[in-house]
Amino acid sequence: MIRFEQIQKSYALGKTRLTAICDLSLEIGEGEFVALAGPSGSGKTTLLNLGGCIDKPDAGRVWVDGEDVTDVPLSGLARKRRSRIGFVFQNFSLIPVLTALENVEYPLMISGMPKRERRQFAAEWLDRVGLAPHSGRKPDQLSGGQRQRVAIARAMISAPAVVIADEPTANLDSVTTENILDLMEEINRETQTTFLVATHDPLVMGRAARTVHMRDGRIVHVAQGASCAREAMAC
C-alpha cells in the first residue's frame, strides 16, 4: 500500500542542510497497522509527510495506493490526498466554527458531494465512532477524546486506502487512549484500511502489527506484534 525505496530527504537550516531521512526503504502492506517510533528528530513526521503525499523526497521513490507518486507534482496529488488518504493529527485540527457533523462532512463538501448525501454519510460515521448525540456541538464543547473521534470519522468518511496519524494519542489520558485505539483497531480490522501512525506511546506500539523504530533518519529496528511495546525502551 505504501512503499519507500532508498529515500533521502533533507531541509535547509540556515547555511547548512539537516538530514531528515537517509537511504530508507520500507514497505507497508494493505490493511496493516504500523507504528513509527523514535525520538524527536528521528524522521517520523517526515516519513508520514512523504507517505501522505504532502512532501517530496530529494532522492528515492515513493509508491502510495499502487501509484508511483515520486514524479507527480504535489498539486497533482490533491485528489489522491482528498479521496484516498485520511489524516489524524495530535491537535485534532478541527475547524472551530463548525459543528462535529460539519467537520466530518467537510471533505465531502470539498469534493462536491450534494449536501443531503454528505450529511447522511457524516451522520453515519459520527454514529459509528459513538458521537451521534454530540453532532451539533462545536470542538470547544467536546472533550479531547471526543474531538479525536470526530477527527477519525473525518479521516474515514472518504473511504481512504490509507490513514496517516501523527501522535494521535499524545494529548489524551491513558483510558481515553485505550478507547481511541480500540476504535482505530476496529476500523482497521473491519475496513482493511492501512494505518501508519507516528508515536512515542507504548500503548500504540502494543496495538500495532509492526513497530518501526527510527533514529537519525534511519530504521534501526522492527518489532513484530506483541513485542512492539516491550522492545520500545530497548531502541
Side-chain angles (χ1 to χ4, degrees):
M1 182 55 63
I2 305 176
R3 192 166 108 207
F4 305 102
E5 185 175 288
Q6 295 183 306
I7 296 300
Q8 304 274 353
K9 182 65 181 179
S10 63
Y11 299 97
L13 185 63
K15 295 182 179 180
T16 63
R17 292 196 69 83
L18 175 67
T19 298
I21 300 289
C22 185
D23 196 28
L24 183 148
S25 296
L26 176 66
E27 187 164 342
I28 298 163
E30 181 179 356
E32 271 202 287
F33 192 125
V34 176
L36 299 176
S40 297
S42 61
K44 304 187 302 296
T45 298
T46 298
L47 200 62
L48 289 187
N49 290 341
L50 294 171
C53 297
I54 57 179
D55 203 355
K56 291 288 184 180
D58 298 330
R61 306 205 72 79
V62 180
W63 284 261
V64 178
D65 191 25
E67 179 185 1
D68 185 346
V69 299
T70 314
D71 299 323
V72 182
L74 290 176
S75 59
L77 292 171
R79 183 177 179 85
K80 180 178 283 289
R81 290 193 300 269
R82 187 167 62 241
S83 63
R84 300 299 290 161
I85 304 173
F87 296 91
V88 179
F89 303 99
Q90 176 180 341
N91 62 356
F92 319 123
S93 294
L94 301 178
I95 300 172
V97 298
L98 300 184
T99 65
L101 182 68
E102 291 166 340
N103 267 283
V104 174
E105 74 170 329
Y106 188 70
L108 300 183
M109 183 183 72
I110 293 175
S111 68
M113 181 178 288
K115 184 174 181 178
R116 178 178 293 183
E117 188 176 354
R118 70 177 188 252
R119 282 281 165 102
Q120 179 181 346
F121 279 124
E124 289 172 357
W125 265 107
L126 276 180
D127 183 56
R128 186 164 184 175
V129 301
L131 284 183
H134 306 295
S135 63
R137 294 188 179 183
K138 293 181 179 178
D140 64 0
Q141 298 172 308
L142 300 171
S143 69
Q146 289 171 334
R147 278 178 275 177
Q148 198 60 293
R149 286 174 179 269
V150 173
I152 291 169
R154 181 184 59 188
M156 291 301 303
I157 196 165
S158 299
V162 179
V163 169
I164 301 290
D166 195 359
E167 300 283 0
T169 64
N171 291 327
L172 306 177
D173 62 70
S174 59
V175 173
T176 305
T177 291
E178 293 281 11
N179 292 335
I180 291 297
L181 290 173
D182 287 343
L183 175 61
M184 293 172 70
E185 274 194 327
E186 178 184 336
I187 291 170
N188 170 248
R189 183 176 61 252
E190 292 183 0
T191 67
Q192 283 299 292
T193 302
T194 300
F195 277 75
L196 181 60
V197 183
T199 186
H200 288 93
D201 192 341
L203 291 174
V204 179
M205 298 177 213
R207 300 292 192 100
R210 285 190 293 159
T211 294
V212 178
H213 296 274
M214 298 180 64
R215 184 177 296 133
D216 300 328
R218 301 176 183 272
I219 295 172
V220 294
H221 182 67
V222 178
Q224 303 283 340
S227 66
C228 291
R230 192 168 58 247
E231 296 184 15
M233 297 304 294
C235 296

